[in-house]
């Protein structure tokens, strides 16, 4: 009887050890699963959404830096407004799985080439001195200069520039570093053929920066950047 009791006790111990091993293994699996690292945030080069947000952030940061470098009576208020916009963009970056704080300046590679073209009229104006007796030639050179400095109404502008949002609220509007307040711009998204006509109300770090309401009128779902944009000065 005592031998049977001893064997029974050993079996109980073995069963308890097995149960503990199984439980420990399950706990290890659960711990390993819970400690799995979250997915790495996406960069601007990996996602068009992240690129649009990074571009918007870069434009606003550039605007703030320019205002601090060349302040005026309204700079403090403008900076406070844009800092709030920067904070909102960073929240959108986090919610979209993007690298928070990643910044990218709006690419305007075509913009420097336009002033370079305006250098051609002086070369052409070198001919009038040889025929200085004709007053009509200098008069003809004046419209060429105006075409380079101020776009006529209905003319395409900002060639090659992408369009993104400023993050600002309010009625549809735009900001620009090339056109004064009151200028009207028509922005067309060539990827979906949607367009909006807005008035420039403030200064920004890019040729045409749309506020939230204006951007919603031309955006594609889930995107914060318009790569193929047609921008026209209409007023």
């Amino acid at each position: 009887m005592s031998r049977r009791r001893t064997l029974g006790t050993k079996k109980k111990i073995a069963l308890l050890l097995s149960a503990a091993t199984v439980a420990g293994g399950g706990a290890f699996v659960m711990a390993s699963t819970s400690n799995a690292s979250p997915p790495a945030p996406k960069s601007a080069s990996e996602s068009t959404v992240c690129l649009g947000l990074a571009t918007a952030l870069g434009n606003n940061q550039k605007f703030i830096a320019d205002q601090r470098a060349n302040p005026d009576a309204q700079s403090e208020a403008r900076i406070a407004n844009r800092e709030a916009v920067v904070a909102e963009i960073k929240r959108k970056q986090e919610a979209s799985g993007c690298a928070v704080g990643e910044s990218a300046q709006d690419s305007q590679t075509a913009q420097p080439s336009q002033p370079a073209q305006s250098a051609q009229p002086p070369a052409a104006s070198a001919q009038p001195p040889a025929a200085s007796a004709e007053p009509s030639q200098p008069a003809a050179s004046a419209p060429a200069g105006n075409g380079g400095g101020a776009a006529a109404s209905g003319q395409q502008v900002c060639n090659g520039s992408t369009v993104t949002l400023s993050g600002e609220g309010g009625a549809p509007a735009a900001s620009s570093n090339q056109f004064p307040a009151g200028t009207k711009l028509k922005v067309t998204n060539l990827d979906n053929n949607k367009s909006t006509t807005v008035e420039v109300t403030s200064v920004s770090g890019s040729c045409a920066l749309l506020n939230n309401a204006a951007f919603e009128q031309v955006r594609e779902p889930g995107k914060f950047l318009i790569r193929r944009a047609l921008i026209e000065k209409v007023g």
Side-chain angles (χ1 to χ4, degrees):
M1 292 293 290
S2 61
R3 183 177 181 182
R4 288 180 181 177
R5 289 176 182 172
T6 303
L7 290 174
T9 303
K10 290 180 178 180
K11 287 182 179 180
K12 290 179 181 180
I13 294 173
L15 289 171
L16 289 172
L17 288 174
S18 298
T21 302
V22 171
F28 176 77
V29 171
M30 292 177 65
S32 299
T33 303
S34 63
N35 292 332
S37 58
K42 292 174 288 188
S43 67
S45 61
E46 297 173 319
S47 166
T48 55
V49 171
C50 297
L51 176 60
L53 291 170
T55 303
L57 181 62
N59 288 337
N60 281 282
Q61 289 175 333
K62 182 178 183 300
F63 176 82
I64 292 172
D66 290 343
Q67 288 293 308
R68 285 174 174 163
N70 303 287
D72 58 27
Q74 301 297 322
S75 290
E76 185 175 350
R78 294 193 193 107
I79 290 172
N81 177 273
R82 291 305 175 96
E83 285 178 340
V85 171
V86 165
E88 177 62 24
I89 292 173
K90 288 182 177 180
R91 283 193 289 271
K92 289 182 178 179
Q93 284 180 321
E94 183 177 9
S96 301
C98 304
V100 177
E102 183 179 13
S103 172
Q105 286 297 318
D106 186 8
S107 175
Q108 296 184 26
T109 54
Q111 289 305 115
S113 65
Q114 293 180 350
Q117 292 176 359
S118 65
Q120 293 178 0
S125 65
Q127 296 178 0
S132 58
E134 298 180 5
S136 60
Q137 301 243 349
S141 65
N146 291 336
S153 179
Q155 181 178 344
Q156 181 178 350
V157 295
C158 308
N159 296 335
S161 177
T162 57
V163 175
T164 185
L165 77 167
S166 66
E168 295 178 301
S175 55
S176 174
N177 63 357
Q178 296 191 27
F179 301 101
T183 303
K184 290 187 178 180
L185 301 175
K186 180 180 179 181
V187 179
T188 302
N189 184 346
L190 297 177
D191 289 327
N192 59 13
N193 292 321
K194 292 183 178 180
S195 63
T196 181
T197 300
V198 291
E199 182 176 327
V200 175
T201 58
S202 61
V203 180
S204 69
S206 62
C207 180
L209 195 64
L210 301 179
N211 70 353
N212 291 350
F215 195 81
E216 285 295 331
Q217 294 178 347
V218 294
R219 73 180 295 179
E220 291 183 276
K223 293 187 178 180
F224 294 91
L225 177 70
I226 301 174
R227 289 180 178 274
R228 298 176 62 244
L230 173 64
I231 306 173
E232 301 168 275
K233 179 185 175 186
V234 296

